[in-house]
Amino acid sequence: MDTIKVRRAGPGRPRTRPDHVLADKGYSSRKIRAYLRKRGIGHTIPERRDQRANRSRRGRGGGRPCAFDRQLYKKRNVVERCFNRLKQFRAIATRYDKTRESYQAAVTIASLFLWLKPL
């Protein structure tokens, strides 16, 4: 999360704090949620079944359930479909490139192909 940089449309240094994070159950941990809350980043992360069970087992000491917006979480599907389309390129899926720069260039080229395909 510390390495995220989003370019601004105009002049100015890039943003390093997103407005909101959508993640799957793999990112559902106390540490990640506390980090996002500390930085003031909104998040929509579903709670894992074992976390729910542990929280309910502890009773009132377990805390309240995490807020979860189903309608907002449905937008995560767009990102997953994008990754799926990128992984159709074999060089991206198996990562043939040795350096980070060349792999990033391959992802950029594949993204351009996907973007230009409808035209």
Side-chain angles (χ1 to χ4, degrees):
M1 293 289 293
D2 290 332
T3 60
I4 293 174
K5 296 204 182 333
V6 179
R7 288 190 192 147
R8 294 188 187 273
R13 68 174 204 253
R15 293 179 53 201
T16 58
R17 188 176 65 87
D19 295 328
H20 200 87
V21 172
L22 297 173
D24 61 358
K25 290 181 182 183
Y27 294 95
S28 177
S29 73
R30 259 190 207 172
K31 189 175 183 180
I32 290 174
R33 290 178 194 274
Y35 175 80
L36 293 172
R37 266 194 301 275
K38 183 178 80 174
R39 291 199 59 199
I41 301 171
H43 58 278
T44 302
I45 305 172
E47 197 173 30
R48 288 195 312 256
R49 187 179 298 164
D50 64 331
Q51 288 177 333
R52 260 184 281 153
N54 288 337
R55 189 174 34 74
S56 63
R57 181 178 46 83
R58 291 192 316 220
R60 288 184 67 153
R64 65 177 186 217
C66 302
F68 183 72
D69 185 3
R70 286 186 185 277
Q71 292 302 102
L72 190 59
Y73 189 70
K74 288 180 181 179
K75 293 182 179 180
R76 193 176 154 269
N77 179 27
V78 175
V79 176
E80 291 296 326
R81 284 186 299 163
C82 178
F83 282 131
N84 187 20
R85 290 179 70 193
L86 277 174
K87 295 238 176 158
Q88 298 301 314
F89 292 89
R90 196 162 97 188
I92 305 296
T94 56
R95 188 161 181 178
Y96 289 135
D97 303 310
K98 289 185 179 181
T99 63
R100 178 176 49 100
E101 291 82 10
S102 60
Y103 181 71
Q104 190 172 8
V107 169
T108 303
I109 291 169
S111 299
L112 285 170
F113 278 134
L114 291 174
W115 182 57
L116 292 172
K117 190 175 184 177
L119 302 176

